[in-house]
């Protein structure tokens, strides 16, 4: 049952990642991977929120592992960072890694803190 919940969450998270990434990139028209940064930070915020709430393990499987796992993407972050660096945009590559890590950790922390504040 848990594997099915993970798969269901991923079936929603993966297409949402793709669509969000494309929409953000099209809107900003930049070589910097703003779309990936957006989905990674949003997923980190949601995962922090879910882990801070007193939820059933099934919710963790569906939303945390499935949805957030498919929404966020370490492999794309790595690829896009490498693409920037190999294209001579080393500062942008460094900024991508630094911003992704810092913003992701800050978002997860904020989500967790919000959940804890809401549940008292």
């Amino acid at each position: 049952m848990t594997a099915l919940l993970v798969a269901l969450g991923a079936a929603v998270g993966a297409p949402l990642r793709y669509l969000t990434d494309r929409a953000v990139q099209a809107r900003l028209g930049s070589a910097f991977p703003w779309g990936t940064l957006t989905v990674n930070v949003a997923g980190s915020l949601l995962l922090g929120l879910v882990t801070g709430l007193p939820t059933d393990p099934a919710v963790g499987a569906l939303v945390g592992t499935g949805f957030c796992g498919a929404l966020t993407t370490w492999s794309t972050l790595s690829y896009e960072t490498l693409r920037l660096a190999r294209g001579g945009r080393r500062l942008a590559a460094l900024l991508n890694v630094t911003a992704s890590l810092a913003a992701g950790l800050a978002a997860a922390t904020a989500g967790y803190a919000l959940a804890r504040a809401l549940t008292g």
Side-chain angles (χ1 to χ4, degrees):
M1 182 59 159
T2 301
L4 179 60
L5 290 171
V6 171
L8 288 173
V12 175
L16 184 61
R17 174 184 70 208
Y18 174 78
L19 294 171
T20 302
D21 176 62
R22 295 295 87 213
V24 170
Q25 286 305 121
R27 181 166 174 81
L28 298 178
S30 169
F32 190 82
W34 291 108
T36 301
L37 179 63
T38 300
V39 295
N40 285 343
V41 172
S44 296
L45 178 69
L46 180 58
L47 187 56
L49 185 67
V50 169
T51 58
L53 293 173
T55 60
D56 187 84
V59 174
L62 176 71
V63 178
T65 305
F67 181 78
C68 291
L71 179 67
T72 60
T73 173
W74 184 260
S75 59
T76 303
L77 167 66
S78 300
Y79 164 75
E80 290 172 341
T81 301
L82 180 61
R83 180 182 50 83
L84 288 168
R86 293 185 83 196
R89 302 192 62 212
R90 288 189 170 90
L91 183 57
L94 180 62
L95 177 62
N96 189 39
V97 170
T98 304
S100 295
L101 184 58
L105 287 171
T109 301
Y112 185 83
L114 176 62
R116 301 308 291 172
L118 292 173
T119 59

